[in-house]
Amino acid sequence: MGENGAGKSTLMGIAFGLIRPDAGQVLVRGTPQQIRGPLDARHLGIGMVHQHFTSVPALTAGENIGLTAGWSVSPGALYRRVRDLGEQTGLPIDPAARAEDLPAVLKQRLEVLKALATDARILLLDEPSSVLSPAEAESLLTRIQGFRSRGMSAVLITHKLDEATRVADRVTVLRRGEVVHTGLASAEPPARLAALMIGDPGWAPQRASRSASAGEIQVRAQGLAVERSGPSGAPLREATFTARSGEVVGIAAVEGNGQRELLRAVAGLLRPSRGELDVSAPVSFVPEDRTSEALIGEFTLAENLAMSQGQNGAWVRGPWLDWGAVERRTQELLDEFSVRAPGPKTPAIALSGGNQQRMVLAAALERQPTVLVAENPTRGLDIKATAEIHARLREAANRGVAVLFHSSDLDEVVELADRVLVVREGRVIELPDGATRQEIGARMLVEVPGAS
């Protein structure tokens, strides 16, 4: 456990052969090993579920699993084997679906299946449940417990304190690259672990004050329909809703029910097939997969910021860019949003997931949007970074921005949203003020007689 940027993924990268250590040893079953790459790691029985997706986009899910595990590439046999693996693990996937067409939750599921397919005896899992539904996450945790009960080992990186205390035998906390605690998970209450992660016993998330009332309508949809954007899920059908300046509208939905289509239509990325949709410009979009849709990893933070603003950047000088101005503004945003990075010329890929997400949100708000659309904006973030993102979204609403967001974490929707829209089987249901978590959850899963 540890904050974003504490060194957790780096440590796992060393154990899996992706990063060469500068000093020290890696011992596997008590024997020092030189792990020069993932192939060496796999030969030692080590498998890894990566936080950032590593599948080949142009290949199918089955081909990606077969490539990782070394299975036969005969499509019929391969796809049957992949289906069997999905049934055994409770994480089914369409083996014929192209990886690039999968939504983030299924891309994450594919990463888990790739690791399980290698018959690893030591499993390294870097935020494996960050985009899984509660039922899927529970199935995965059960699988990890079963893995352990057969005499094997698992290392789980998670920001979810309940996962750590419920599943782990031992817990190690990193802070800024150093181990600050290790011990029995059952001996430490969640509040103590949170304090160890942050390094401040008195820290508690501070909620930004809510605006007094919502303003003018900035998003209006009437009978909106949008075809589904991938190989699975539901199209959006006959959706009618509004979003006003100064309010945060939360979208509650089980994955694949049309919420992705709704948000991306509002953001201007998908064209409605029928109905009316009026959105006040400018619109900013925070996608759920920051590494493939929001950032170019090999580009510097300054280059990413310049690209995100396009012709609207304050540093545009006719056909030229004032790179000095870009870098100065990037540094200002790094400071303002507490992004841990050496400077504007740092490649985006060098940042931890939480710091990448802070930068993505900073770039989105730099556009001074009227409407801000966010998909799972806190996916994979620690408790402190999550609180910071919540505060930024609330502050944007207080400045008059209409904020629409979806989170796979229902508690997050309940906590942050002024109003909640449930999307189920492509239909939008607006819930009354004060709807409880249980009521929202029920509407996500069950048809309610008389519901609009």
Side-chain angles (χ1 to χ4, degrees), residues 15 100 102 165 244 310 313 353 376 384 442:
E100 64 185 351
L102 297 175
T165 54
R244 296 176 178 270
N376 273 310
K384 187 175 183 181

Side-chain angles (χ1 to χ4, degrees), residues 54-68 72-76 78-80 82-83 93-102 106-107 110-111 113-114 231:
T54 62
S55 296
V56 181
L59 298 184
T60 66
E63 290 165 343
N64 270 286
I65 293 172
L67 179 66
T68 302
S72 167
V73 296
S74 174
L78 174 62
Y79 288 0
R80 283 193 298 274
V82 169
R83 290 192 183 95
I93 199 166
D94 180 1
R98 286 164 61 101
E100 64 185 351
D101 294 331
L102 297 175
L106 293 182
K107 289 179 180 177
L110 178 57
E111 294 294 329
L113 291 170
K114 283 163 53 183

Side-chain angles (χ1 to χ4, degrees), residues 367-442:
R367 289 173 55 84
Q368 302 295 316
T370 302
V371 178
L372 176 63
V373 180
E375 295 178 322
N376 273 310
T378 63
R379 180 175 72 86
L381 302 192
D382 61 47
I383 53 176
K384 187 175 183 181
T386 294
E388 292 171 354
I389 296 296
H390 285 182
R392 295 289 182 181
L393 295 177
R394 173 51 58 192
E395 289 166 3
N398 289 346
R399 294 195 303 271
V401 178
V403 178
L404 284 82
F405 84 101
H406 163 69
S407 173
S408 53
D409 184 342
L410 180 55
D411 290 325
E412 182 174 31
V413 175
V414 173
E415 176 183 350
L416 185 59
D418 297 312
R419 289 193 296 120
V420 176
L421 303 177
V422 168
V423 182
R424 186 177 52 76
E425 296 181 354
R427 299 190 182 280
V428 174
I429 305 165
E430 182 162 357
L431 298 188
D433 292 343
T436 66
R437 183 186 190 281
Q438 290 74 21
E439 291 169 339
I440 297 170

Side-chain angles (χ1 to χ4, degrees), residues 212-227:
S213 61
E216 296 181 358
I217 292 176
Q218 304 297 347
V219 179
R220 184 192 300 274
Q222 183 69 40
L224 181 66
V226 182
E227 298 301 318

Side-chain angles (χ1 to χ4, degrees), residues 93-313:
I93 199 166
D94 180 1
R98 286 164 61 101
E100 64 185 351
D101 294 331
L102 297 175
V105 65
L106 293 182
K107 289 179 180 177
Q108 183 76 313
R109 188 183 300 183
L110 178 57
E111 294 294 329
V112 175
L113 291 170
K114 283 163 53 183
L116 295 175
T118 63
D119 294 323
R121 298 184 298 279
I122 303 169
L123 196 58
L124 313 176
L125 302 108
D126 192 352
E127 293 287 347
S129 63
S130 59
V131 295
L132 300 181
S133 69
E136 291 168 330
E138 185 63 34
S139 175
L140 176 61
L141 295 177
T142 300
R143 174 76 179 185
I144 294 170
Q145 291 173 314
F147 191 79
R148 175 188 60 185
S149 68
R150 296 197 302 274
M152 303 179 200
S153 303
V155 180
L156 174 67
I157 293 177
T158 180
H159 293 123
K160 299 178 180 179
L161 295 170
D162 62 327
E163 284 187 359
T165 54
R166 183 159 54 91
V167 176
D169 298 296
R170 292 184 295 116
V171 62
T172 293
V173 179
L174 296 178
R175 189 165 67 242
R176 301 203 175 191
E178 295 184 357
V179 173
V180 297
H181 171 79
T182 186
L184 294 175
S186 59
E188 299 293 347
R192 164 71 173 159
L193 291 175
L196 286 166
M197 289 165 56
I198 296 166
D200 180 2
W203 179 86
Q206 300 296 316
R207 292 188 179 183
S209 59
R210 300 194 173 194
S211 56
S213 61
E216 296 181 358
I217 292 176
Q218 304 297 347
V219 179
R220 184 192 300 274
Q222 183 69 40
L224 181 66
V226 182
E227 298 301 318
R228 70 183 188 185
S229 59
S232 60
L236 190 67
R237 300 182 291 174
E238 303 296 331
T240 297
F241 63 92
T242 61
R244 296 176 178 270
S245 61
E247 69 174 353
V248 179
V249 179
I251 309 296
V254 175
E255 181 62 36
N257 271 265
Q259 72 274 24
R260 175 183 172 89
E261 288 72 15
L262 182 154
L263 291 172
R264 289 175 177 247
V266 173
L269 300 177
L270 292 178
R271 185 185 298 274
S273 56
R274 65 178 181 276
E276 299 179 6
L277 177 61
D278 297 316
V279 183
S280 300
V283 181
S284 283
F285 179 58
V286 177
E288 62 182 348
D289 186 359
R290 54 184 168 262
T291 57
S292 67
E293 295 187 274
L295 296 169
I296 298 178
E298 292 74 17
F299 282 19
T300 69
L301 298 176
E303 289 168 339
N304 273 286
L305 179 64
M307 290 185 62
S308 72
Q309 307 303 303
Q311 295 294 324
N312 297 318

